[in-house]
Amino acid sequence: MFGYVVRRLLQLVPTFFGATLLAFLVIQLAPGDFVTRLELDPTQDRESIANLRQQLGLDQPLPVQYAKWLSGIFQGYLGLSLSYKTDVWSVIGQRILNSMVLVVLATLMIYLIAIPIGVYSAIHKYTWPDRIFTVLAFLGLAIPNFFFGLIMLFLAVWLNDLTDMRILPIGGMTNEFLHLGNMTRAAQWLFPFALVGTLVYGTLFWLRSRRGQTPTFGVWLGLVLFGVSSLLMLAPLLQGPGLPERLPYTESPLWARVTNVLWHAFPVVIVVGTSGLAGLMRVMRGQMLDVLSQDYIRTARAKGLSERVVIYKHALRNAVIPFIAGIGGLLPGLIGGAGLVEVVMAWPGITPALLEAISAIDVYVIMGLITITTVLLMVGNVISDLLLAWVDPRIRYS
Amino acid sequence: MRKILFLGLLVLAGAALAQPKVFKGTEIGRQGGAYRITSISDPRTWNPFVARETSSTDIISLFLPYLTSYDPYTQAPEGRLAKSWEIRNNGLTVIFRLREGARWSDGRPITADDVIFSATVHADQRVNSNARSSFILDGQPIRWTKVDQYTVRADFPKPYAPALIQGWYIVPQHIFEPAYRAGVQQLQALWNLDTPPAQIVSGGPFKLESYVKGERVVLVRNPNYWGVDERNNPVAYLERYTVQIVPDLNAQLARFLAGDADTFAAANADQVAQVLERIRAGRLRAEIFPNVDVTLGTNFIVFNWNHKDPFKENLFRQVKFRRAMAHLMDKKSMIEVALGGLGQPQWSPISIPNKAFFTDDVPKYEFNPQRAQQLLAELGFRTKNRDGWLVNAQGRVLEFNLVTNQGNTVRERIAQIFRDEARKIGVKVEYRPIDFNELVRQLTSPAADGTREFDAILIGLTGGIEPAFSRNVWELDGSLHMWNLGVGGKRPAKVEAFEVLIDTLMKRGATTLDQAQRRQIYVQFQRVVAENLPIIYTVAPAYNPARLTRLGGMFPKEQINSIVGQAPYIETVFAKE
């Protein structure tokens, strides 16, 4: 096992060189460079164009440019952005974090909703709820993300008009000013409900565990949702009344900023997560059906095990194995951003920055992103393989 | 006692602003309020020596001063940090007097040293500032020297008409000089986006307050600013200026429709309709002015006179051929289909909004396929072959490729309309959109023997208010002399007579100081271009500005123009509520 891990890690080195070299060449294959756009500016003369090329090192031979970039990488320096004139990390760092907010929330949403629905659909195959989920899944898969994003924006405008309130944000990640007063009042109003919910589910949980039963998924979910909500509302309840009605975002307390970001993220996460959710739901259903028709399930049922145990202990555990292999793919996805939705809904994630870098041919910004993604992809694959060996006793690495 | 205090305050105010600039707004406004706009992309830097794109310079211009600019009402030169000027030596020398008492936001005075230092850095070849071309005239430097603490002098190698327009940004010497001494890289690293906004010193109407990457730039009023309104109240009126970064045009529209942005420029008829509908539904208190002007941008077709195929080179050099092509441009359809009905036909190189120099009295080769056919017949293309294409006596088919940059839907549609009309009379036009950078390469990089590979390109240039700044397009050795490009900064090998005339007119226009004479020169220039069509202009998109009615100090409809925008000065815009 140890030998396998070492071998896999060693393989990363040539893969890294190959991948980055290829990326570098592909970027250079595209016609023009960072300076090309300026050539159509009537106020620029030949001399300053040539000067600029020289200054940015774009006139040097490609091997030299690549070697220079690589020597920076070994010192942990991603290079200098041609258009921002600062190092690449300070251009993309914050944006990767912003994108991660979306991707993490969307991934959570996908897994938390898709797996239960998939299991439910498989167990209740061809019933009306299953058919409805199937239709919804196809819809979700069919709508392109960016278009759904636009629909969501106009939905937000329409909803806000209808209620004459700010129910949904019109794009963006934060507001310039935060209405702390509104947030505090909302928390005061909602807190009792959350508290009651927590108590109800807490009691259920306690009752079940006292009877020696494992709590159901619903109880878990209810307890977590209500419990976390009540905890989150403690901060505005305690701190809120003493604060001014309205403060600029940068001066607001952490809880207000987090709430504001989550509020903005809500419609975006729905848009980003829908297609993944729909896809995963179908895959889960298929997996589950596959497993449920296996002999050992029939054996388990024949033994007289309860249906719950058959489904959750025998079927589900086997059905989720393929998803473990997908976990490694999530890692590069985390920094890859949420795609065009970010552009459409003005989320300051990595996609708009990457698109700008590509259209401006800001080589090192593109290379920086590719490098980080490549490394994470490789590491993620190793992790997936190891996880697989761990959950599936049939797989052995030697 | 109170009176004395008041007088004392007056004296103090007088000392602080000895010679303020009076900003004549459209109305007297009130202090306070916020102004919120959207921008399609993030700024790249706060450093004016590094900035190259409008997303950066639009913000820098709010916090860094410049000597002079255009009067928004008359488009004549107007003093900003320079309170007055004097022209000597038959226009070879201009002496600018600065506003005494003007201060940076950190309290230091803005003096001739700041101006001279900034000029030195902008002119430094190693720095490669975007404004460097303002310091060179035909290869010779324009020299800037300090006369006294509040006077600077510019010496030009030859008389220069735009000499009074000095719009490069002036930086605080006490901040930039140590970095400049340490080296160009240190200078360029200064005032980048990670610099804390509090460290950015302002000499303009606003100062930087905060920047959240990908989200917004917030500027607040600079209390040390050297401007007042006509009643001597300090400007800017606005307390806060927010630029929201919204990278998608539809999302920008959504922000405006929701009342979250104060101004918006509708890109097409569809967006205009959406804004109008919302105003009519009573959901948005705003005004929109569709087609009130056209934008400065141009779209034109240029043929390659340096073609490696001698047949095509000869064809493209025929003025009859180019006129025939002009006759094939259905500008009415182009406006209807490509611009959604909002726009104007363009016939000559000076943009329509540029009232000081624009003339409509030029030869126009209007849409007329019969006339085009006739002209092509005069060139020998009289018969059609079996496939229906025009051929000459030697059997050569009249064909060429037309390319434009991919993704620009307006240009793509214009190109398609042109192709369809040309094909109707038997001209075999193959249209293909290609990558922008590839297009620039084909256009600007001739092979060693001076030939280029393209046939025809549909492209545009952003126009400006000063025709002399486009000399790289029109002078024979210019780097953007697109139709007939020389190699290595030299004149093209084979030059037509009218090109020499254009070159002469451009040079004369740039060195003539009398405004009326200048206009005459540029009117003639437009006529020569329109008649000989080295560049065949198509249509100019409309300028459709919209704004919330909560804003005051804005232009009435008749005065709105795409050069200045919706308000004469940002200093005199205010929030009514």
Side-chain angles (χ1 to χ4, degrees):
Chain A
M1 190 69 177
F2 179 72
Y4 172 78
V5 175
V6 172
R7 216 169 54 236
R8 282 296 299 268
L9 289 178
L10 279 180
Q11 280 170 1
L12 295 187
V13 177
T15 319
F16 174 80
F17 282 110
T20 52
L21 183 64
L22 198 65
F24 194 77
L25 286 179
V26 169
I27 297 171
Q28 304 290 348
L29 273 183
D33 59 24
F34 177 70
V35 185
T36 307
R37 275 200 303 184
L38 298 174
E39 288 181 29
L40 270 200
D41 179 348
T43 60
Q44 298 289 319
D45 45 28
R46 288 189 180 88
E47 187 206 355
S48 56
I49 298 275
N51 262 334
L52 197 64
R53 277 224 165 82
Q54 192 208 350
Q55 204 176 66
L56 298 173
L58 294 172
D59 57 342
Q60 288 167 341
L62 288 190
V64 177
Q65 290 187 36
Y66 180 67
K68 272 191 174 171
W69 175 79
L70 208 59
S71 75
I73 288 292
F74 289 132
Q75 297 156 27
Y77 178 62
L78 288 173
L80 189 80
S81 157
L82 301 180
S83 50
Y84 290 86
K85 292 281 191 312
T86 53
D87 76 293
V88 166
W89 181 249
S90 75
V91 175
I92 60 177
Q94 181 61 44
R95 295 189 164 254
I96 287 178
L97 287 180
N98 292 349
S99 278
M100 274 169 91
V101 173
L102 288 186
V103 179
V104 168
L105 288 177
T107 312
L108 276 180
M109 179 186 100
I110 291 173
Y111 279 82
L112 282 183
I113 300 181
I115 292 185
I117 292 184
V119 172
Y120 178 91
S121 290
I123 301 171
H124 305 272
K125 197 171 58 164
Y126 303 138
T127 57
W128 272 109
D130 176 36
R131 280 165 212 262
I132 291 170
F133 283 132
T134 304
V135 170
L136 286 180
F138 285 141
L139 272 181
L141 281 173
I143 298 182
N145 261 350
F146 74 94
F147 184 64
F148 192 16
L150 277 180
I151 293 180
M152 194 55 112
L153 272 186
F154 282 88
L155 186 78
V157 173
W158 176 79
L159 200 66
N160 293 347
D161 277 358
L162 203 69
T163 54
D164 230 3
M165 282 191 295
R166 277 297 156 92
I167 304 278
L168 285 176
I170 318 289
M173 186 172 90
T174 59
N175 280 112
E176 192 179 349
F177 290 98
L178 303 189
H179 287 268
L180 301 176
N182 285 353
M183 286 189 197
T184 310
R185 280 189 291 279
Q188 283 164 346
W189 193 74
L190 288 171
F191 185 71
F193 297 96
L195 200 62
V196 168
T198 317
L199 288 177
V200 168
Y201 278 98
T203 318
L204 276 178
F205 194 89
W206 179 72
L207 277 177
R208 275 190 161 269
S209 48
R210 215 181 57 159
R211 273 189 248 143
Q213 294 168 316
T214 45
T216 61
F217 178 75
V219 173
W220 267 111
L221 192 71
L223 187 62
V224 170
L225 282 183
F226 280 108
V228 169
S229 314
S230 347
L231 281 179
L232 283 180
M233 275 185 260
L234 279 179
L237 281 181
L238 296 176
Q239 219 186 352
L243 288 169
E245 184 70 20
R246 208 173 90 123
L247 269 183
Y249 178 80
T250 39
E251 293 162 28
S252 301
L254 181 68
W255 58 264
R257 279 180 285 160
V258 170
T259 315
N260 192 251
V261 170
L262 287 180
W263 179 64
H264 279 90
F266 173 69
V268 192
V269 166
I270 290 184
V271 172
V272 173
T274 309
S275 62
L277 174 70
L280 196 77
M281 201 163 106
R282 297 302 295 169
V283 176
M284 188 65 218
R285 181 176 177 274
Q287 279 294 326
M288 200 64 190
L289 284 176
D290 212 27
V291 174
L292 280 174
S293 63
Q294 297 284 330
D295 289 344
Y296 58 81
I297 297 294
R298 195 173 45 188
T299 311
R301 281 188 178 135
K303 272 202 310 189
L305 289 179
S306 75
E307 188 64 16
R308 259 178 59 80
V309 175
V310 171
I311 286 167
Y312 291 103
K313 215 163 176 182
H314 293 257
L316 183 59
R317 283 203 180 173
N318 283 298
V320 294
I321 286 177
F323 295 124
I324 307 285
I327 287 179
L330 289 179
L331 206 54
L334 279 183
I335 74 142
L340 278 180
V341 178
E342 292 180 351
V343 177
V344 172
M345 302 188 81
W347 190 270
I350 193 65
T351 315
L354 178 64
L355 289 180
E356 273 176 15
I358 290 175
S359 72
I361 318 197
D362 194 344
V363 191
Y364 301 109
V365 173
I366 311 174
M367 283 305 289
L369 257 177
I370 291 178
T371 309
I372 298 175
T373 319
T374 314
V375 171
L376 285 182
L377 181 69
M378 293 189 301
V379 172
N381 275 336
V382 175
I383 293 177
S384 301
D385 288 352
L386 294 179
L387 276 178
L388 262 186
W390 180 60
V391 280
D392 191 343
R394 287 170 299 184
I395 295 173
R396 293 254 180 282
Y397 302 118
S398 50
Chain B
M1 183 62 205
R2 227 168 156 184
K3 221 172 195 175
I4 295 173
L5 202 69
F6 181 69
L7 277 176
L9 276 177
L10 263 187
V11 169
L12 266 180
L17 277 168
Q19 295 162 335
K21 152 95 186 157
V22 178
F23 286 92
K24 186 175 163 292
T26 54
E27 56 190 310
I28 295 288
R30 51 186 282 265
Q31 302 281 342
Y35 182 65
R36 304 149 309 158
I37 57 164
T38 50
S39 163
I40 199 99
S41 114
D42 271 278
R44 299 289 189 273
T45 175
W46 312 124
N47 185 330
F49 304 116
V50 176
R52 291 195 171 272
E53 51 290 297
T54 50
S55 62
S56 310
T57 53
D58 283 350
I59 294 170
I60 292 173
S61 69
L62 295 171
F63 66 80
L64 285 185
Y66 34 91
L67 286 178
T68 58
S69 178
Y70 293 100
D71 183 312
Y73 300 98
T74 62
Q75 295 182 5
E78 176 193 57
R80 288 295 182 103
L81 186 65
K83 81 175 177 216
S84 64
W85 53 78
E86 194 183 317
I87 301 169
R88 290 190 192 161
N89 286 351
N90 298 323
L92 287 178
T93 302
V94 184
I95 294 182
F96 292 97
R97 298 225 159 65
L98 310 182
R99 287 179 204 285
E100 291 174 30
R103 281 172 192 282
W104 297 106
S105 58
D106 62 0
R108 300 255 203 143
I110 308 178
T111 65
D113 291 318
D114 294 311
V115 178
I116 299 301
F117 171 75
S118 305
T120 314
V121 181
H122 277 299
D124 187 336
Q125 191 184 337
R126 296 169 304 153
V127 175
N128 236 324
S129 156
N130 213 32
R132 188 159 180 263
S133 56
S134 306
F135 295 88
I136 302 166
L137 188 53
D138 294 336
Q140 289 171 292
I142 297 165
R143 282 187 302 114
W144 286 82
T145 40
K146 175 181 171 179
V147 179
D148 61 42
Q149 212 197 344
Y150 289 107
T151 316
V152 294
R153 166 191 172 117
D155 287 294
F156 294 82
K158 54 174 87 169
Y160 188 43
L164 291 178
I165 298 302
Q166 301 294 345
W168 38 275
Y169 299 110
I170 297 163
V171 297
Q173 183 191 20
H174 57 278
I175 295 196
F176 278 77
E177 190 169 37
Y180 184 53
R181 286 234 181 97
V184 169
Q185 290 208 324
Q186 274 80 351
L187 178 91
Q188 290 180 333
L190 221 57
W191 283 17
N192 63 40
L193 296 182
D194 292 320
T195 308
Q199 285 179 21
I200 310 263
V201 172
S202 162
F206 296 94
K207 63 178 189 211
L208 213 55
E209 197 235 25
S210 65
Y211 169 52
V212 189
K213 280 180 191 172
E215 288 241 60
R216 74 184 67 84
V217 185
V218 178
L219 299 109
V220 291
R221 195 174 164 268
N222 171 14
N224 278 6
Y225 188 51
W226 33 267
V228 294
D229 67 8
E230 287 169 292
R231 294 201 190 143
N232 216 22
N233 302 314
V235 291
Y237 292 135
L238 294 165
E239 192 52 50
R240 209 174 161 87
Y241 188 113
T242 308
V243 182
Q244 312 169 45
I245 293 130
V246 183
D248 181 80
L249 268 183
N250 288 309
Q252 287 192 351
L253 173 65
R255 287 270 170 108
F256 181 72
L257 292 183
D260 284 352
D262 287 313
T263 57
F264 178 71
N268 52 45
D270 183 43
Q271 294 194 333
V272 170
Q274 288 193 50
V275 174
L276 275 176
E277 191 189 304
R278 208 168 157 78
I279 295 172
R280 277 187 201 134
R283 285 280 173 200
L284 188 68
R285 276 182 290 165
E287 300 166 278
I288 185 161
F289 307 96
N291 221 354
V292 73
D293 197 0
V294 292
T295 58
L296 284 173
T298 55
N299 294 298
F300 51 77
I301 290 183
V302 57
F303 287 92
N304 177 10
W305 294 17
N306 316 107
H307 209 286
K308 48 185 186 294
D309 176 355
F311 166 76
K312 277 185 177 167
E313 157 156 6
N314 181 46
L315 181 69
F316 297 156
R317 280 175 181 265
Q318 303 292 326
V319 70
K320 279 184 184 166
F321 168 77
R322 297 194 301 274
R323 284 180 189 160
M325 294 304 114
H327 280 308
L328 289 175
M329 283 188 187
D330 185 358
K331 295 188 181 176
K332 220 173 133 194
S333 299
M334 287 176 185
I335 291 170
E336 282 307 317
V337 177
L339 304 178
L342 300 170
Q344 283 179 43
Q346 193 177 358
W347 306 98
S348 74
I350 287 182
S351 303
I352 300 168
N354 196 353
K355 302 281 183 299
F357 299 107
F358 172 77
T359 177
D360 196 38
D361 183 19
V362 295
K364 292 177 185 169
Y365 299 93
E366 289 181 58
F367 180 54
N368 187 347
Q370 283 85 28
R371 180 79 192 119
Q373 223 159 0
Q374 203 180 334
L375 283 169
L376 292 173
E378 286 171 31
L379 288 172
F381 296 94
R382 291 193 182 83
T383 48
K384 284 188 180 169
N385 68 5
R386 227 178 301 151
D387 302 324
W389 305 121
L390 282 171
V391 287
N392 63 6
Q394 291 76 42
R396 260 313 279 256
V397 177
L398 179 56
E399 61 180 331
F400 59 88
N401 295 317
L402 172 67
V403 295
T404 189
N405 59 312
Q406 210 158 24
N408 187 322
T409 45
V410 170
R411 285 190 198 140
E412 287 183 10
R413 284 185 191 147
I414 292 176
Q416 285 161 3
I417 292 168
F418 173 75
R419 175 202 52 197
D420 294 346
E421 287 304 328
R423 284 179 161 238
K424 274 184 202 160
I425 67 157
V427 183
K428 191 176 178 192
V429 179
E430 299 287 357
Y431 156 68
R432 191 162 60 93
I434 62 171
D435 177 73
F436 180 73
N437 284 336
E438 169 62 14
L439 185 143
V440 176
R441 188 194 65 74
Q442 291 188 8
L443 193 68
T444 59
S445 317
D449 62 351
T451 60
R452 293 179 293 169
E453 52 198 276
F454 72 94
D455 291 344
I457 282 180
L458 172 68
I459 186 74
L461 293 177
T462 42
I465 187 166
E466 174 52 65
F469 291 163
S470 65
R471 58 181 192 244
N472 274 327
V473 179
W474 301 106
E475 290 184 6
L476 283 168
D477 54 359
S479 55
L480 275 177
H481 200 256
M482 288 170 273
W483 59 98
N484 193 11
L485 190 65
V487 187
K490 294 200 192 73
R491 294 177 159 213
K494 225 171 105 193
V495 170
E496 309 288 322
F498 81 89
E499 296 181 78
V500 182
L501 179 57
I502 291 177
D503 182 86
T504 322
L505 287 172
M506 272 324 262
K507 291 206 161 90
R508 263 175 51 206
T511 50
T512 302
L513 299 180
D514 181 75
Q515 185 64 22
Q517 268 180 33
R518 275 198 92 195
R519 183 177 155 84
Q520 274 317 304
I521 293 167
Y522 287 119
V523 164
Q524 195 192 349
F525 155 70
Q526 291 173 77
R527 286 191 186 132
V528 174
V529 174
E531 192 181 342
N532 292 285
L533 298 168
I535 281 175
I536 309 176
Y537 288 91
T538 61
V539 288
Y543 174 56
N544 314 304
R547 64 194 187 210
L548 300 188
T549 46
R550 66 180 279 272
L551 293 180
M554 307 297 278
F555 274 141
K557 186 183 175 193
E558 320 70 67
Q559 271 178 303
I560 295 176
N561 65 81
S562 70
I563 294 176
V564 185
Q566 297 198 63
Y569 301 102
I570 188 60
E571 283 87 346
T572 53
V573 172
F574 62 97
K576 283 182 187 160
E577 50 204 64

